[in-house]
Amino acid sequence: MKKNLPFCLSIVAATLLVACSPATPTKQANNNEAVSVVASAPLAEKIPYEMVMHGDTRIDNYYWMRDDKREDPKVLAHLEAENHYADAMLAGTKPLQTELFEEMKSRIKKDDDSVPTRSGSFYYSSEMRGDNEYPVYVRSSDFAGTDKQVLLDANKLAEGHEYYNLGGLSASPDDKLLAYAEDTLSRRIYNIKFKDLQSGELLGDELQGTSGTTLWANDNKTVYYIKKDPQTLLGYQVFRHTLGTPQEQDELVYEESDNTFYTGISKSKDDSLIYIHHSSTETSGVSLIDANNPNAQPQAFVPRETGLEYEVAKLGDTFYVLTNLDAQNFRLMKVAADKLGDKSHWQEVIAHRPDVQLQGFELFNQHLVYQQRHNGQSELFVQKLSGGPAHKLSFNDNAYMVHLYGNNELDNPALRVYYTSMTTPGTHYDVDLNSFALNQLKQQPVLGDFDSANYASERLFVEARDGAKVPVTLVYRKDKFKKDGTNPLYQYGYGSYGATMDPGFSSNRLSLLDRGIVYAIAHIRGSEMLGRPWYEDGKKLTKKNTFNDFIDVTKALVAQGYGHKDKVVAAGGSAGGLLMGAVINQAPEHYLAVAAHVPFVDVVTTMLDESIPLTTNEYDEWGNPNDKTYYDYMLSYSPYDQVKAQAYPHLLVTTGLHDSQVQYFEPAKWVAKLREMKTDSNMLVFKTDMEAGHGGASGRFKRLHDTALEYAFFLDRLSK
């Protein structure tokens, strides 16, 4: 995009889209120092749009910004005007953005390989080289990679595309064919292609409009995939495709009739079954398809039951079941393969514990591995299936993230684990399932003068206004922190969907820590940091706990000397953007500056519109506003609806034009209303990536520009 374009676009009078406000001096939120303005903010036209529900009338003056086709010249002109204004207002930070970008890029090892994972007869991995934005995918017959075969070079495939995402790589059972999926628009709709790994040629088959996942039946010519609704973007149909036949002839194997459910597919470790996963926020289930029979039809594991959640894994003639049946924090059961269809046959393996959440498990021929969360911390246990006590794996940090990956085979002698903390770069281990010895395979390199000993992490609990104890994880550079209330504080939060933002390492974050900023993650309600009850207490009619927790954490950290009261910045994205919007409506005085990325801010309007992608799946998270009780509650905190005439912090808002999760027009409308209503002269800038979607830019270095923009925005505001 060109720099320094005219600040006011010339819009023909008939469109009446963007007006230019008179230049006014801006002031910092924490003092009265005037700053010169070089541009005028775009003022959007107000066209009243009336919405009536439950006898309540809302007027949305900016509803016209919605264009599902992303083609309306008036809307595009407004977004471009906002981009030009943002460029002008942030022009003074360009040198700092460049400095930060180069700084972050310099920590990344250009030639870097992933740790190979075994799947069938091969070990699969990816390789990054030089300044490439994307990996090259390879496989070898052994872990050492002595006979590497290049499967795909994503850099070549991405040529000519502003955005590119490669996913769903899946080799046929005989290892001769490769299925892979491409998204070139960032709407998470993939086209699946097939490559002959012997000749290197593409097959004529191409499956369009899919979720990106391909599963092979065991005949090497039949594949299963999920097709998405092009409007709602719900993956709701499972199709069976035979190679060499047109997609139009594919057999519909399963269709989800309830639009509050997501549909997924996977394959059992022993390759005997295709699983169809049915999941909503509060209910889940599984159907089974015989992978050896290309004509098989799905059979329900047990009949779907509202409120019952479970997932399954197969070992021999036994299925293990992780479920919330009479267990809010989940328990592990098992059932014989000939007793399916009736949960009364389920037998308990690990009992429910009210203070411990059972999160997941992996099966091996002789071992069961399970992961639980106790007092906010993940723990891993290995237990022999023949009996005996479970062994807990030990890690050094007081707050960390650990998860399992790449454990694809039942006969693996070791457990693959990924471990990281706020001060420990991502580390890959193989854990011997018999001796429990940890074999470090790789620690993510951080180039430059990084030394983990220079940094410290703390884990503490903050008392919220209703007495709940909210976990917080902090990290800072030791020689730049005195706990005397002088440091700037960066606070991050999410708090929705039960998503728990465990503390992990970020080399980019060093650019903040090395400048004296304390970084904090607030593990607020709406996550599952303290188990399922912590999530339940932060959704639907208890959603406001999420916002209150975040504000209370800010106040407590300032009171305890972790941050200066006038130097607090905050950031969140997607549902975390909703958090940002609610917080600055409720308590703007506590924040100097806020970044809201792809923010979900127009809660009521979106949740009333079933044509908007993914809306119906969200009812169990936010509530269904067709019910007046939920309508009233959601309206009382919806960031867009609750914008008021008051002072707001400095704001950076970002979105992607092709976002499939949170439509671009939500933040666009929100910014327009904020410009209209706010009484301060603080900075409000809105950036739309005209090529990207919910995940932002693609490519490992391109993404750094987005991070550099946010960091420069905050550092600039903190320096005033």
Side-chain angles (χ1 to χ4, degrees):
M1 183 179 295
K2 294 181 179 179
K3 300 178 183 177
N4 301 322
L5 293 177
F7 304 135
C8 288
L9 290 183
S10 297
I11 307 298
V12 292
T15 67
L16 294 175
L17 177 67
V18 179
C20 290
S21 64
T24 55
T26 64
K27 297 179 181 178
Q28 301 305 314
N30 59 340
N31 58 42
N32 294 319
E33 178 186 356
V35 178
S36 62
V37 170
V38 296
S40 298
L43 294 182
E45 182 188 9
K46 295 169 65 174
I47 303 177
Y49 181 87
E50 184 177 285
M51 295 175 288
V52 180
M53 191 69 180
H54 304 301
D56 177 57
T57 300
R58 291 182 299 139
I59 303 297
D60 186 349
N61 290 321
Y62 305 108
Y63 189 88
W64 60 266
M65 291 185 182
R66 175 177 176 176
D67 171 30
D68 291 347
K69 294 184 177 180
R70 275 77 170 165
E71 296 174 351
D72 190 326
K74 296 185 297 183
V75 173
L76 296 176
H78 177 71
L79 297 178
E80 291 287 7
E82 285 283 7
N83 280 346
H84 299 329
Y85 175 72
D87 286 342
M89 294 300 290
L90 296 172
T93 71
K94 287 293 184 181
L96 180 56
Q97 289 185 48
T98 300
E99 176 186 340
L100 289 163
F101 172 81
E102 294 298 336
E103 198 174 280
M104 292 184 288
K105 184 178 179 181
S106 71
R107 299 190 189 103
I108 299 173
K109 185 180 179 183
K110 289 189 175 183
D111 294 344
D112 195 16
D113 300 342
S114 70
V115 179
T117 58
R118 179 184 164 214
S119 182
S121 302
F122 288 89
Y123 289 82
Y124 292 82
S125 61
S126 61
E127 301 177 344
M128 299 294 288
R129 293 292 179 266
D131 290 322
N132 284 349
E133 293 283 358
Y134 303 98
V136 175
Y137 293 91
V138 301
R139 74 178 181 183
S140 177
S141 62
D142 58 20
F143 183 86
T146 55
D147 55 352
K148 282 182 185 175
Q149 175 190 11
V150 174
L151 303 176
L152 295 170
D153 184 343
N155 299 283
K156 293 180 179 178
L157 296 172
E159 290 177 358
H161 300 290
E162 288 291 333
Y163 176 91
Y164 186 80
N165 187 27
L166 177 66
L169 276 69
S170 176
S172 59
D174 63 6
D175 295 312
K176 294 180 180 179
L177 301 173
L178 180 74
Y180 65 95
E182 297 179 309
D183 173 14
T184 58
L185 197 59
S186 190
R187 279 182 66 76
R188 302 185 186 183
I189 299 179
Y190 293 82
N191 290 345
I192 296 171
K193 298 180 179 180
F194 298 87
K195 182 178 181 179
D196 186 319
L197 294 176
Q198 295 175 314
S199 68
E201 300 298 319
L202 289 179
L203 276 61
D205 303 70
E206 183 170 340
L207 308 178
Q208 299 182 343
T210 82
S211 68
T213 301
T214 311
L215 297 181
W216 293 84
N218 293 333
D219 63 359
N220 298 295
K221 64 179 182 180
T222 304
V223 296
Y224 293 85
Y225 66 94
I226 296 173
K227 199 161 187 181
K228 283 193 168 187
D229 183 296
Q231 176 65 32
T232 66
L233 301 186
L234 284 174
Y236 72 110
Q237 294 175 318
V238 179
F239 279 91
R240 181 160 46 210
H241 173 77
T242 302
L243 294 180
T245 65
Q247 186 178 10
E248 293 75 19
Q249 295 180 10
D250 290 354
E251 179 186 357
L252 177 62
V253 176
Y254 175 84
E255 181 169 0
E256 180 56 67
S257 59
D258 187 337
N259 61 7
T260 66
F261 276 78
Y262 290 101
T263 302
I265 52 176
S266 66
K267 198 172 185 182
S268 61
K269 278 191 183 183
D270 66 0
D271 292 324
S272 67
L273 294 172
I274 303 292
Y275 298 132
I276 301 179
H277 305 277
H278 322 287
S279 59
S280 68
T281 303
E282 297 178 338
T283 302
S284 64
V286 178
S287 296
L288 312 176
I289 300 177
D290 184 352
N292 293 305
N293 179 1
N295 299 309
Q297 296 301 309
Q299 302 294 322
F301 189 80
V302 293
R304 203 152 79 190
E305 181 180 325
T306 300
L308 175 66
E309 299 177 60
Y310 70 90
E311 59 184 71
V312 304
K314 180 174 178 285
L315 179 62
D317 294 327
T318 302
F319 285 88
Y320 286 74
V321 187
L322 179 67
T323 180
N324 71 338
L325 177 64
D326 300 322
Q328 186 180 28
N329 263 333
F330 289 78
R331 58 176 170 161
L332 188 65
M333 315 284 279
K334 66 179 180 180
V335 62
D338 61 358
K339 299 291 186 183
L340 302 187
D342 185 351
K343 64 180 186 293
S344 69
H345 294 297
W346 295 0
Q347 300 173 350
E348 189 167 83
V349 178
I350 299 176
H352 174 253
R353 292 153 293 172
D355 61 340
V356 178
Q357 182 188 24
L358 190 58
Q359 297 177 282
F361 70 102
E362 285 281 357
L363 287 172
F364 300 89
N365 282 335
Q366 307 299 328
H367 295 86
L368 164 68
V369 177
Y370 61 93
Q371 187 166 4
Q372 65 183 36
R373 188 180 296 279
H374 180 230
N375 199 30
Q377 186 59 71
S378 279
E379 300 171 337
L380 282 178
F381 291 83
V382 180
Q383 186 168 25
K384 289 185 177 181
L385 290 172
S386 59
H391 177 85
K392 180 181 176 182
L393 300 181
S394 298
F395 301 99
N396 294 327
D397 297 287
N398 63 0
Y400 58 84
M401 174 173 68
V402 60
H403 70 255
L404 311 179
Y405 79 100
N407 298 288
N408 305 312
E409 306 298 326
L410 290 167
D411 62 351
N412 277 355
L415 171 74
R416 178 64 59 81
V417 171
Y418 176 83
Y419 173 86
T420 181
S421 76
M422 301 287 266
T423 58
T424 305
T427 309
H428 304 257
Y429 294 103
D430 268 353
V431 182
D432 188 289
L433 289 170
N434 292 304
S435 69
F436 314 119
L438 273 68
N439 174 30
Q440 181 174 314
L441 304 172
K442 176 186 176 180
Q443 184 170 87
Q444 189 63 37
V446 181
L447 303 186
D449 60 355
F450 170 73
D451 183 348
S452 62
N454 291 332
Y455 305 89
S457 177
E458 294 186 33
R459 183 168 178 264
L460 51 90
F461 286 82
V462 163
E463 184 169 341
R465 64 193 67 182
D466 63 355
K469 300 296 192 297
V470 183
V472 181
T473 310
L474 303 112
V475 64
Y476 48 80
R477 184 172 174 122
K478 294 177 184 177
D479 60 358
K480 294 183 178 294
F481 176 66
K482 296 184 175 62
K483 201 177 179 180
D484 60 358
T486 60
N487 288 79
L489 173 67
Y490 179 120
Q491 186 172 313
Y492 169 79
Y494 187 76
S496 292
Y497 304 106
T500 301
M501 303 305 173
D502 280 308
F505 185 81
S506 166
S507 64
N508 295 339
R509 191 187 299 141
L510 298 176
S511 292
L512 297 178
L513 305 185
D514 290 348
R515 289 172 170 82
I517 293 177
V518 176
Y519 185 98
I521 303 175
H523 305 290
I524 50 187
R525 277 173 279 189
S527 74
E528 289 187 344
M529 177 55 81
L530 297 180
R532 181 54 68 94
W534 196 245
Y535 170 41
E536 299 291 345
D537 207 21
K539 70 173 185 176
K540 292 199 286 194
L541 297 178
T542 59
K543 188 63 202 171
K544 291 182 183 179
N545 286 335
T546 302
F547 318 135
N548 294 342
D549 286 356
F550 191 87
I551 295 167
D552 293 345
V553 166
T554 301
K555 293 161 69 174
L557 293 179
V558 168
Q560 294 178 35
Y562 287 100
H564 190 291
K565 66 180 181 63
D566 297 326
K567 296 181 180 180
V568 180
V569 300
S574 194
L578 180 152
L579 169 68
M580 295 298 105
V583 162
I584 62 173
N585 279 338
Q586 182 178 333
E589 68 277 7
H590 292 295
Y591 304 93
L592 169 66
V594 167
H597 304 298
V598 293
F600 174 40
V601 286
D602 192 12
V603 184
V604 178
T605 304
T606 292
M607 294 304 298
L608 282 170
D609 189 344
E610 295 187 12
S611 71
I612 292 178
L614 310 182
T615 287
T616 55
N617 294 90
E618 306 291 304
Y619 288 156
D620 286 338
E621 178 70 26
W622 311 102
N624 185 343
N626 291 291
D627 180 324
K628 188 176 186 304
T629 299
Y630 289 109
Y631 174 89
D632 290 342
Y633 188 79
M634 294 163 70
L635 187 63
S636 71
Y637 69 75
S638 172
Y640 182 61
D641 293 285
Q642 294 304 318
V643 170
K644 63 194 73 170
Q646 66 177 13
Y648 283 90
H650 299 282
L651 296 173
L652 168 66
V653 183
T654 65
T655 191
L657 180 63
H658 300 286
D659 194 332
S660 61
Q661 308 298 109
V662 178
Q663 306 296 302
Y664 76 89
F665 46 81
E666 291 200 37
K669 296 195 308 176
W670 183 48
V671 168
K673 191 172 182 180
L674 282 165
R675 291 205 191 287
E676 173 194 355
M677 300 291 292
K678 73 191 191 80
T679 60
D680 61 89
S681 50
N682 290 333
M683 186 181 291
L684 169 56
V685 289
F686 176 41
K687 292 278 290 184
T688 301
D689 188 324
M690 305 301 283
E691 304 295 337
H694 198 64
S698 62
R700 61 169 172 167
F701 295 131
K702 285 183 180 180
R703 293 180 186 275
L704 295 181
H705 288 291
D706 297 335
T707 305
L709 172 67
E710 183 203 276
Y711 285 8
F713 170 74
F714 282 148
L715 290 167
D716 179 65
R717 297 298 90 194
L718 288 165
S719 68
K720 306 301 182 182

